[in-house]
Amino acid sequence: MFITEAFAQTAPGGAAGGADILMSVLPFLLIFVVMYFLIIRPQRANMKRREELLKNIRRGDQVVTGGGIVGKVTKVVDDNELEVEIAEGMKVRVVRSGISEVRVKGEPVKE
């Protein structure tokens, strides 16, 4: 009674429904691919580079902390902490993840 005959009829050529679904999903797939190459992939590369930088910090490196304090690494305490000299005789312990930048790489330790 309220449904007209135009709405009650099926689509001509039965297989067109699958193509309609593909055409409606295709823009979302394209957007995801573009987002992956423009955002996700470069961000992963930056994360990997930063992880490598933090892992390779050693004694003698000049570093900048997340708070902007510049200091020289005097001792690597363990995998997570460093001892950094921020002034003459003033040493602080810093968490590795709190390092934002390594400015000058130190000389290899001669023992």
Side-chain angles (χ1 to χ4, degrees):
M1 166 153 72
F2 292 111
I3 301 173
T4 63
E5 291 180 24
F7 290 121
Q9 295 176 356
T10 60
D20 289 341
I21 291 173
L22 180 64
M23 292 306 288
S24 65
V25 172
L26 189 63
F28 294 111
L29 291 174
L30 290 174
I31 288 171
F32 180 75
V33 168
V34 169
M35 293 284 283
Y36 177 77
F37 283 108
L38 292 179
I39 295 174
I40 297 171
R41 217 167 144 232
Q43 187 175 8
R44 281 188 183 171
N46 286 342
M47 285 174 46
K48 195 177 287 186
R49 198 175 312 120
R50 176 171 165 69
E51 207 173 278
E52 192 69 29
L53 177 80
L54 292 178
K55 190 169 55 173
N56 291 331
I57 293 176
R58 53 186 170 191
R59 195 168 79 192
D61 291 351
Q62 185 176 3
V63 296
V64 180
T65 65
I69 298 173
V70 179
K72 188 174 187 177
V73 177
T74 57
K75 180 180 177 184
V76 177
V77 178
D78 58 20
D79 289 342
N80 295 326
E81 292 184 7
L82 306 167
E83 188 174 272
V84 178
E85 185 175 29
I86 57 176
E88 192 69 36
M90 174 72 68
K91 295 179 182 178
V92 293
R93 289 176 82 163
V94 180
V95 178
R96 255 185 219 264
S97 61
I99 302 294
S100 62
E101 177 183 352
V102 177
R103 286 211 172 152
V104 179
K105 296 298 279 181
E107 299 290 324
V109 177
K110 298 173 185 162
E111 294 183 28

